[in-house]
C-alpha cells in the first residue's frame, strides 16, 4: 500500500473571490516564521521516505524562499513530489526552489481575459508555461461554469493546453461557497451543463488523454500518483491548518485556525476539527466510493479481498445489486456514466 503526505501552506498573496480553502492573505512575517518552525518540527516526526508528497494551499510560494529552504531540508524523500503554483509564481527566480519537485500543478483556470477578470486571477503566458513544460511534469487546472464564460472560451482553453503539450489536465466546474465574495455575487448560480462537460471529455480523449478520474485527464504515464492514493483509499499524512489525513483507519482534519494549530503543536497537544476511527464497515464503504471515482479501474475484486478479506467482495456485490448506474462485472465494478457518479455511489453509503 502506498503512503503520501499532504502539506498545506495557508498563505496567499491575495484571496481569490471564489476560494473557500483555509488561507490567509498578507500575513505578518512573524506568522510565517512561526508556522515554518512548527512545520519543520512536525516533519521531523514523520517517516523519511514516502511514495508521494503534495504541497498545496493557499499559495505555497507565498511562504518565501528562506522559509522554504528550511522546509526542503526536512521533507521526506518521495518518488513523486508535487507543488501547486499560481501564474504569478512562474518566474526564473523560483526555478531553483521548484527543482526540488518533480511535478507542478498550475492554477491556470483559463486563458480568457474576461474569465480571469471574473475570477480575480492573473494570466499565465504561453511562453512561461512552455518553460515549465521543458523542466517538469506539469498539470494544469482549468475552470468551467464561470458566469459569463462561453463555450468557445472553454474550447480555446482546451486547444491551448493540448497544443502546448500539457500532459495532465484537471477540469473543475466553479462551485460558489457560502462565506466567499462570490456567494454575495452569484448565490443563485446553478451551473449544470452536461453537454459542455461531454464536449470537454470528447475533445481531450480524441487528443490522446485518458479520462481516468471524474475531473482528471492524463496522457499515458502522467496520472497523478498522489491523488490516486486518495482515490485508492490508501494512507496519507497531513500537516498544516485544515489539512486532512488518513492513517491506521483514522480520518483526521487539523483545526482550520493558524493560531490554534501553532499553539497546540507547541504544547504537543494537536487540535483536530475531525478525528474519527472508522469501523471495518465504514472503511469498506469509503474504499468503494473512492475507488469508483477511477473510471476504468473502479472497485477491483482482487484488491478488495486483499485488503478486507474474501467476504468483503460479497458485501460489495450485494450493495451494488440493483443500482442502474453501475457496471457490475465478475472482477470489478465501475460507474456507467461519470456524470451520474453520485447516483452510482449511493449504493455504498
Amino acid at each position: 500500500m502506498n503512503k503520501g503526505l499532504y502539506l498545506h501552506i495557508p498563505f496567499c498573496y491575495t484571496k481569490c473571490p471564489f476560494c473557500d480553502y483555509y488561507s490567509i492573505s498578507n500575513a505578518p512575517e512573524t506568522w510565517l516564521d512561526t508556522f515554518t518552525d512548527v512545520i519543520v518540527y512536525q516533519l521531523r516526526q514523520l517517516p523519511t521516505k514516502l511514495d508521494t508528497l503534495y504541497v498545496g494551499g493557499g499559495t505555497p510560494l507565498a511562504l518565501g524562499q528562506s522559509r522554504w529552504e528550511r522546509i526542503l531540508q526536512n521533507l521526506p524523500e518521495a518518488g513523486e513530489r508535487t507543488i501547486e503554483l499560481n501564474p504569478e509564481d512562474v518566474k526564473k527566480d523560483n526555478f531553483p526552489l521548484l527543482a526540488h519537485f518533480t511535478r507542478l500543478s498550475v492554477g491556470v483556470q483559463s486563458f480568457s481575459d474576461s474569465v480571469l477578470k471574473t475570477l480575480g486571477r492573473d494570466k499565465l503566458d504561453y511562453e512561461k508555461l512552455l518553460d515549465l513544460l521543458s523542466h517538469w511534469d506539469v498539470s494544469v487546472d482549468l475552470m468551467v461554469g464561470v458566469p459569463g464564460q462561453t463555450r468557445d472560451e472553454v474550447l480555446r482553453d482546451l486547444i491551448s493546453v493540448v497544443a502546448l503539450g500539457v500532459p495532465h489536465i484537471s477540469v473543475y466546474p466553479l462551485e460558489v461557497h457560502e462565506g466567499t465574495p462570490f456567494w454575495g455575487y452569484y448565490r443563485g448560480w446553478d451551473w449544470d451543463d452536461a453537454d459542455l462537460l461531454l464536449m470537454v471529455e470528447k475533445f481531450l480523449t480524441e487528443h490522446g488523454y485518458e479520462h481516468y478520474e471524474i475531473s482528471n485527464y492524463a496522457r499515458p504515464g502522467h496520472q497523478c500518483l498522489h491523488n490516486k492514493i486518495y482515490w485508492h483509499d490508501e494512507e496519507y499524512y497531513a500537516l498544516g491548518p485544515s489539512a486532512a489525513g488518513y492513517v491506521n483507519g483514522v480520518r483526521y482534519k487539523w483545526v482550520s485556525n493558524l493560531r490554534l494549530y501553532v499553539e497546540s503543536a507547541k504544547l504537543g497537544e494537536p487540535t483536530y476539527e475531525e478525528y474519527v476511527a472508522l469501523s471495518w464497515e465504514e472503511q469498506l464503504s469509503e474504499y468503494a466510493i473512492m475507488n469508483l471515482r477511477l473510471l476504468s479501474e473502479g472497485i477491483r475484486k482482487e484488491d478488495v479481498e486483499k485488503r478486507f478479506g474474501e467476504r468483503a467482495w460479497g458485501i460489495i456485490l450485494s450493495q451494488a445489486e440493483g443500482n442502474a448506474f453501475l457496471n457490475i462485472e465478475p472482477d470489478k465494478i465501475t460507474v456507467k456514466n461519470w456524470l451520474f457518479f453520485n447516483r452510482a455511489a449511493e449504493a455504498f453509503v
Side-chain angles (χ1 to χ4, degrees):
M1 183 181 294
N2 293 312
K3 187 170 286 190
L5 165 65
Y6 173 69
L7 173 58
H8 185 74
I9 308 296
F11 304 108
C12 53
Y13 308 120
T14 56
K15 185 90 169 178
C16 296
F18 59 87
C19 178
D20 75 328
Y21 293 126
Y22 178 73
S23 63
I24 304 165
S25 59
N26 299 310
E29 295 288 313
T30 54
W31 292 15
L32 278 66
D33 290 336
T34 304
F35 169 80
T36 302
D37 291 341
V38 167
I39 291 299
V40 166
Y41 171 78
Q42 292 181 315
L43 284 169
R44 290 173 178 169
Q45 317 307 310
L46 297 181
T48 57
K49 290 186 179 181
L50 295 171
D51 297 288
T52 67
L53 163 70
Y54 193 105
V55 182
T59 304
L61 294 193
L63 195 59
Q65 292 270 359
S66 61
R67 299 179 190 92
W68 260 112
E69 288 173 6
R70 295 184 58 207
I71 289 176
L72 288 170
Q73 293 172 7
N74 292 278
L75 284 178
E77 295 179 24
E80 180 188 88
R81 297 158 67 92
T82 304
I83 188 168
E84 291 181 351
L85 207 60
N86 281 355
E88 58 266 36
D89 291 318
V90 183
K91 47 191 176 184
K92 297 285 189 180
D93 288 349
N94 286 329
F95 281 19
L97 189 159
L98 298 176
H100 293 272
F101 295 88
T102 63
R103 187 174 180 276
L104 307 180
S105 179
V106 189
V108 172
Q109 313 308 349
S110 178
F111 295 103
S112 163
D113 292 333
S114 61
V115 172
L116 291 171
K117 183 177 180 181
T118 299
L119 295 174
R121 299 280 292 192
D122 291 339
K123 187 172 186 176
L124 180 61
D125 295 334
Y126 294 146
E127 293 80 7
K128 290 185 176 181
L129 184 51
L130 282 170
D131 281 345
L132 297 183
L133 287 162
S134 65
H135 294 89
W136 289 276
D137 197 10
V138 174
S139 176
V140 160
D141 287 353
L142 295 178
M143 191 170 285
V144 297
V146 180
Q149 185 183 37
T150 67
R151 191 182 186 93
D152 284 344
E153 285 173 319
V154 173
L155 183 57
R156 284 197 295 271
D157 286 341
L158 295 173
I159 291 170
S160 297
V161 292
V162 169
L164 290 167
V166 176
H168 188 284
I169 303 167
S170 300
V171 182
Y172 300 110
L174 171 70
E175 296 181 1
V176 178
H177 296 279
E178 187 172 359
T180 65
F182 261 33
W183 183 256
Y185 309 145
Y186 306 112
R187 184 178 306 185
W189 184 249
D190 184 20
W191 184 86
D192 184 13
D193 191 342
D195 286 342
L196 187 142
L197 291 174
L198 290 173
M199 179 200 79
V200 170
E201 180 185 49
K202 184 174 186 293
F203 183 87
L204 291 177
T205 54
E206 286 179 349
H207 286 83
Y209 293 82
E210 179 187 0
H211 188 189
Y212 75 101
E213 192 271 342
I214 293 171
S215 301
N216 289 274
Y217 299 81
R219 287 195 164 142
H222 294 278
Q223 294 184 8
C224 179
L225 302 182
H226 181 82
N227 284 345
K228 288 188 77 171
I229 284 180
Y230 300 153
W231 301 321
H232 282 151
D233 204 41
E234 296 175 320
E235 294 189 336
Y236 52 97
Y237 298 100
L239 294 177
S242 78
Y246 180 48
V247 179
N248 296 327
V250 174
R251 289 209 178 276
Y252 62 92
K253 181 181 180 182
W254 292 96
V255 63
S256 299
N257 182 294
L258 179 63
R259 180 181 60 83
L260 292 178
Y261 181 85
V262 167
E263 289 179 354
S264 64
K266 285 181 176 179
L267 293 172
E269 300 173 356
T271 301
Y272 300 106
E273 281 183 12
E274 300 172 14
Y275 191 91
V276 181
L278 302 179
S279 67
W280 184 89
E281 291 79 9
E282 289 169 332
Q283 290 182 50
L284 182 61
S285 173
E286 290 200 1
Y287 176 92
I289 293 170
M290 295 304 293
N291 277 266
L292 199 61
R293 294 185 67 93
L294 292 164
L295 301 180
S296 61
E297 292 185 30
I299 309 165
R300 299 159 305 282
K301 177 183 178 182
E302 180 181 358
D303 294 342
V304 169
E305 292 182 342
K306 182 177 180 180
R307 180 161 167 181
F308 294 97
E310 291 186 7
R311 73 184 183 95
W313 183 245
I315 294 173
I316 292 289
L317 284 176
S318 65
Q319 291 174 324
E321 186 177 355
N323 186 306
F325 299 92
L326 293 171
N327 282 316
I328 303 174
E329 302 176 41
D331 60 347
K332 72 174 181 178
I333 298 171
T334 56
V335 62
K336 282 184 179 178
N337 185 331
W338 61 276
L339 292 172
F340 297 98
F341 169 81
N342 288 339
R343 297 294 301 276
E346 287 174 1
F348 309 108
V349 174

